[in-house]
Amino acid sequence: MGSLSSRVLRQPRPALAQQAQGARAGGSARRPDTGDDAAGHGFCYCPGSHKRKRSSGSFCYCHPDSETDEDEEEGDEQQRLLNTPRRKKLKSTSKYIYQTLFLNGENSDIKICALGEEWSLHKIYLCQSGYFSSMFSGSWKESSMNIIELEIPDQNIDVEALQVAFGSLYRDDVLIKPSRVVAILAAACLLQLDGLIQQCGETMKETVNVKTVCGYYTSAGTYGLDSVKKKCLEWLLNNLMTHQNVELFKELSINVMKQLIGSSNLFVMQVEMDIYTALKKWMFLQLVPSWNGSLKQLLTETDVWFSKQRKDFEGMAFLETEQGKPFVSVFRHLRLQYIISDLASARIIEQDAIVPSEWLSSVYKQQWFAMLRAEQDSEVGPQEINKEELEGNSMRCGRKLAKDGEYCWRWTGFNFGFDLLVTYTNRYIIFKRNTLNQPCSGSVSLQPRRSIAFRLRLASFDSSGKLICSRTTGYQILTLEKDQVCSIIFWYVIIIFVFRILF
């Protein structure tokens, strides 16, 4: 029994021989009181027992009550060892099934042929697939066939994807690489493998980044993964303006860009004019996808290219040309009223001649009447929350904070005499209506009270553009008197914040 054997079984054989000799000599066994050899060596002389040697102490095997503390501890230790399970990794049933039945094809009762490859499989496992379950249970001719030629109509599916899909029927878990997830998803959808489809969706949502987002978005739409599509759109809304990328601009389709520019949740860095500039660069890359250069070079190359186009279409805006018409629906979502309110921006958009002059004329007229109402009709601004109006017409602006500290912004332009200063300090966002205290290049309204409707969003992202944390004030109305200050506290360091303001 090794180290777990009892003390009786592991005593030395010479002691046993000595006991036997004493017994044959006919000597009666008795327990000496003191000073004898037995006491010194710890033997037991209880009537009817053999003499047993102990390592120490005075334990009597015939009388358990004489056990010492040390022996109690040793007994407890032995008991613990006897009751403590020992872990040993055995080959699991799942791995055995995968190796023996799937990889080795033992006892196969059906062969599946596709894309020039052949798999020796088992109907009982294939029936986990909705595709094969219907095939085998119905009156289809394949239900009695031993060899089935599988047609693959989807170009996303390859042999490796089918290998993973078939293998998933024989094992508990599947390792899906992001680089292979679209092909595996396509195979899973063809074979109607709901569990594998769900796992592909989770993998996609966890690995959305600048290189995968467009491919994932398209695949999610093709294969009906609405949650993945939503996740991709959310990533694009957060990163389109905050982390601009040449390859991303090339991949973004017109329909996707239209959704992004029209969304009230688009994170805008700086002001609306920057959205226009981003769209101009994106349109150039859509028309000249072979261009290879850095993001820093992109705007210069874009302006040069459109300048050449103006010479060919003199007197006509680019969006009115055959090349430009497909992009009209995207540019329609620009909030031009916040571009023409700044003189430098108005000059650029007029000079570019991308946007039709009729669009700009109507906006100039609209803003002129808004200014007259604000100055001559005592209009003090929004009095109640109109979510639809806020989401569709508010000014979009925002800034990026690389680290905690003190920052102050004033988005210049003519905003109906409302000079709004925004300060970030000690994790407070402070709004101030500047009237007289600080110099302002534009007109400042002297009306005693002015109101704005706004929503403030703050967010932090990791290096891949994934949203770490986000917080928002929701839609609110703020009424400020001359030079009045209002503050909002946020108890963590902010990386990006975005305003939606309606004056």
Side-chain angles (χ1 to χ4, degrees):
M1 295 179 65
S3 61
L4 298 183
S5 59
S6 69
R7 295 170 65 95
V8 174
L9 291 178
R10 71 168 181 261
Q11 59 184 316
R13 289 194 176 276
L16 291 174
Q18 186 177 0
Q19 287 179 317
Q21 291 175 359
R24 286 194 295 269
S28 62
R30 67 181 182 88
R31 185 174 183 176
D33 293 333
T34 58
D36 62 2
D37 181 69
H41 290 86
F43 290 101
C44 171
Y45 290 92
C46 295
S49 71
H50 296 291
K51 183 170 65 174
R52 302 181 177 97
K53 187 175 181 179
R54 290 174 294 145
S55 59
S56 62
S58 57
F59 175 76
C60 175
Y61 281 91
C62 305
H63 299 280
D65 293 338
S66 66
E67 184 177 4
T68 64
D69 291 342
E70 181 179 348
D71 293 321
E72 284 182 3
E73 291 177 1
E74 183 175 348
D76 290 344
E77 177 65 14
Q78 292 179 2
Q79 188 68 20
R80 185 188 67 79
L81 292 172
L82 287 170
N83 288 281
T84 300
R86 286 288 180 262
R87 298 181 182 275
K88 184 176 182 181
K89 192 171 184 180
L90 302 175
K91 188 172 184 180
S92 68
T93 303
S94 176
K95 289 183 178 180
Y96 176 81
I97 290 172
Y98 181 78
Q99 178 67 46
T100 306
L101 300 184
F102 178 66
L103 295 181
N104 298 342
E106 293 186 15
N107 299 319
S108 169
D109 58 2
I110 190 168
K111 292 186 184 299
I112 305 295
C113 302
L115 300 177
E117 294 293 328
E118 184 180 280
W119 287 266
S120 298
L121 304 176
H122 308 77
K123 285 186 176 182
I124 193 170
Y125 284 95
L126 287 177
C127 283
Q128 298 174 86
S129 156
Y131 179 88
F132 287 109
S133 178
S134 299
M135 178 186 291
F136 297 150
S137 62
S139 57
W140 305 98
K141 65 177 182 179
E142 290 87 353
S143 61
S144 59
M145 296 172 62
N146 295 327
I147 300 177
I148 294 177
E149 292 285 344
L150 193 62
E151 294 185 7
I152 308 297
D154 192 336
Q155 294 182 351
N156 286 328
I157 301 175
D158 56 20
V159 172
E160 185 180 344
L162 287 176
Q163 176 78 3
V164 173
F166 288 138
S168 70
L169 300 172
Y170 291 80
R171 63 195 314 177
D172 295 330
D173 57 349
V174 180
L175 179 63
I176 301 176
K177 297 179 181 179
S179 60
R180 300 293 307 153
V181 68
V182 173
I184 295 171
L185 173 63
C189 288
L190 174 67
L191 302 179
Q192 301 174 33
L193 302 174
D194 294 339
L196 187 57
I197 292 172
Q198 182 179 356
Q199 188 174 347
C200 287
E202 293 302 318
T203 300
M204 293 166 80
K205 285 188 285 187
E206 291 172 2
T207 57
V208 175
N209 56 52
V210 68
K211 294 182 179 180
T212 63
V213 62
C214 290
Y216 283 1
Y217 182 88
T218 302
S219 299
T222 301
Y223 302 112
L225 296 183
D226 292 338
S227 62
V228 175
K229 193 174 181 180
K230 181 180 178 182
K231 191 74 172 181
C232 292
L233 192 62
E234 178 186 282
W235 189 95
L236 288 167
L237 288 169
N238 293 339
N239 290 274
L240 177 68
M241 297 294 298
T242 59
H243 301 88
Q244 294 187 30
N245 182 277
V246 172
E247 294 303 318
L248 180 61
F249 278 161
K250 288 182 180 181
E251 290 187 66
L252 283 172
S253 68
I254 290 175
N255 287 333
V256 173
M257 186 62 88
K258 182 169 61 175
Q259 290 185 67
L260 298 176
I261 302 303
S263 174
S264 63
N265 292 319
L266 176 66
F267 266 75
V268 176
M269 287 299 95
Q270 304 300 338
V271 291
E272 193 77 19
M273 182 61 184
D274 295 279
I275 304 178
Y276 167 78
T277 303
L279 282 185
K280 186 168 60 171
K281 293 185 288 187
W282 163 77
M283 185 166 60
F284 164 69
L285 291 173
Q286 294 290 302
L287 295 167
V288 191
S290 61
W291 185 84
N292 288 312
S294 67
L295 187 63
K296 291 182 179 180
Q297 300 169 321
L298 181 55
L299 181 57
T300 301
E301 292 292 325
T302 299
D303 287 335
V304 169
W305 191 86
F306 279 109
S307 177
K308 293 178 180 178
Q309 300 303 310
R310 285 197 297 273
K311 295 177 181 179
D312 297 332
F313 301 102
E314 189 172 350
M316 184 182 295
F318 184 79
L319 292 179
E320 295 175 316
T321 68
E322 290 303 315
Q323 279 184 300
K325 284 180 180 178
F327 304 97
V328 167
S329 60
V330 180
F331 279 80
R332 275 292 187 186
H333 288 289
L334 279 173
R335 301 179 185 185
L336 295 172
Q337 64 269 36
Y338 300 111
I339 295 178
I340 64 167
S341 64
D342 177 68
L343 180 59
S345 300
R347 284 174 173 168
I348 291 173
I349 201 170
E350 291 276 2
Q351 179 183 338
D352 285 346
I354 292 175
V355 175
S357 57
E358 291 79 7
W359 293 16
L360 296 173
S361 298
S362 63
V363 175
Y364 285 130
K365 181 179 179 180
Q366 167 193 318
Q367 292 300 86
W368 175 251
F369 277 104
M371 183 197 71
L372 292 176
R373 288 194 301 270
E375 291 298 318
Q376 299 179 16
D377 200 22
S378 300
E379 186 172 306
V380 297
Q383 299 301 300
E384 59 183 17
I385 296 295
N386 185 326
K387 186 176 179 180
E388 184 178 353
E389 185 179 10
L390 262 171
E391 293 184 346
N393 299 301
S394 57
M395 182 175 79
R396 301 184 283 191
C397 49
R399 285 295 170 91
K400 187 184 295 185
L401 281 64
K403 59 183 180 179
D404 204 9
E406 293 188 4
Y407 303 86
C408 185
W409 303 273
R410 168 194 276 148
W411 284 279
T412 59
F414 185 78
N415 298 315
F416 313 114
F418 198 116
D419 186 34
L420 184 66
L421 300 179
V422 180
T423 303
Y424 172 80
T425 180
N426 295 325
R427 301 185 183 181
Y428 278 86
I429 295 289
I430 301 171
F431 294 156
K432 178 182 178 182
R433 178 194 171 191
N434 176 52
T435 305
L436 300 172
N437 288 352
Q438 293 179 261
C440 179
S441 58
S443 174
V444 174
S445 173
L446 297 179
Q447 291 190 19
R449 302 179 72 196
R450 291 297 304 272
S451 297
I452 58 171
F454 75 96
R455 181 184 69 175
L456 176 61
R457 252 185 97 195
L458 302 101
S460 178
F461 302 94
D462 65 12
S463 58
S464 68
K466 184 178 180 180
L467 185 66
I468 298 174
C469 58
S470 178
R471 193 172 177 182
T472 180
T473 62
Y475 293 108
Q476 297 186 27
I477 290 179
L478 185 62
T479 301
L480 297 171
E481 297 180 0
K482 296 178 183 179
D483 296 309
Q484 185 178 352
V485 174
C486 178
S487 61
I488 302 172
I489 188 169
F490 288 89
W491 286 110
Y492 52 81
V493 177
I494 303 305
I495 303 302
I496 292 174
F497 70 89
V498 179
F499 281 115
R500 299 288 183 269
I501 308 174
L502 189 63
F503 294 96

